[in-house]
Amino acid sequence: MGKLAEIKTKENDSSVEDFINSVPDEKKRKDSFIILDLMRKATNEKPKMWGSSLIGFGNRIFTSPATGRQVEWFIIGFSPRKANFSLYLSMDIKQYANTLEKLGKYKTGQGCLYINKLDDVDIKVLEELINDAVKVK
C-alpha cells in the first residue's frame, strides 16, 4: 500500500448529537436520529463526526476507482444537508437496481444515495441497502 493521501475532511471529536440537534428543521432532526440508529445497528460502530457536517461509522482505507488514490474514510455515513440527506454507502449503488426499485423517491451519485426525507422511502428497504453497504469490501 502506498502513502495515504491527505484530505481535508477528517474524523474529529465533535459531538454527533449536538450536530444533529443543531439541524434547524425538526423533521430532518428526527429523520437524522433514525438514520443514525440504522447505521449504528448495521456497523456496531460508534458514530463520529467527519469534518463539520458528515457523520461516519467505522474506518477503512478507501481507494478511488477513478484515480487509485487512497484515503482514510468511514465505512458508511450520512449528512443531513439542507436540500436532502446524503447517504455515503461506499458501494456501486447501481448494482442494487432491484433493491432501489422498491425504495421510493431518491437520487444517486457515485456511491451516494440522496433522499429528501424518510417519508419518501421504504425504511425497511433503506435498512437493507445500509446493511448491504456495510458488507462491501
Side-chain angles (χ1 to χ4, degrees):
M1 181 173 82
K3 184 175 183 260
L4 289 178
E6 192 73 23
I7 58 173
K8 292 179 185 173
T9 305
K10 296 181 184 180
E11 182 180 328
N12 62 70
D13 292 328
S14 298
S15 167
V16 170
E17 284 76 16
D18 287 352
F19 169 67
I20 293 175
N21 284 323
S22 75
V23 172
D25 182 88
E26 182 182 351
K27 177 72 174 125
K28 190 155 282 198
R29 268 196 316 273
K30 287 180 179 178
D31 285 356
S32 294
F33 281 112
I34 292 169
I35 295 169
L36 186 79
D37 287 340
L38 290 173
M39 290 189 170
R40 184 184 287 137
K41 196 165 83 176
T43 61
N44 279 327
E45 296 277 355
K46 184 179 181 215
K48 294 279 199 164
M49 289 301 301
W50 284 71
S52 61
S53 63
L54 293 174
I55 300 166
F57 295 80
N59 296 78
R60 70 184 193 119
I61 303 301
F62 175 76
T63 304
S64 167
T67 65
R69 184 175 93 144
Q70 294 185 318
V71 296
E72 186 175 353
W73 200 239
F74 44 78
I75 297 167
I76 60 172
F78 76 101
S79 182
R81 306 226 185 262
K82 189 174 217 163
N84 55 31
F85 285 98
S86 298
L87 280 71
Y88 299 87
L89 300 180
S90 302
M91 62 186 192
D92 183 356
I93 198 84
K94 290 169 183 56
Q95 288 183 353
Y96 295 84
N98 291 340
T99 306
L100 288 168
E101 283 178 15
K102 300 178 278 184
L103 181 61
K105 189 177 169 186
Y106 70 91
K107 291 181 182 170
T108 61
Q110 191 71 32
C112 288
L113 181 67
Y114 303 103
I115 58 175
N116 291 331
K117 57 189 179 296
L118 289 183
D119 290 343
D120 289 343
V121 297
D122 183 320
I123 196 85
K124 290 291 180 201
V125 175
L126 180 61
E127 185 174 22
E128 183 182 332
L129 283 166
I130 290 169
N131 288 333
D132 286 346
V134 171
K135 296 173 193 163
V136 173
K137 297 294 178 218

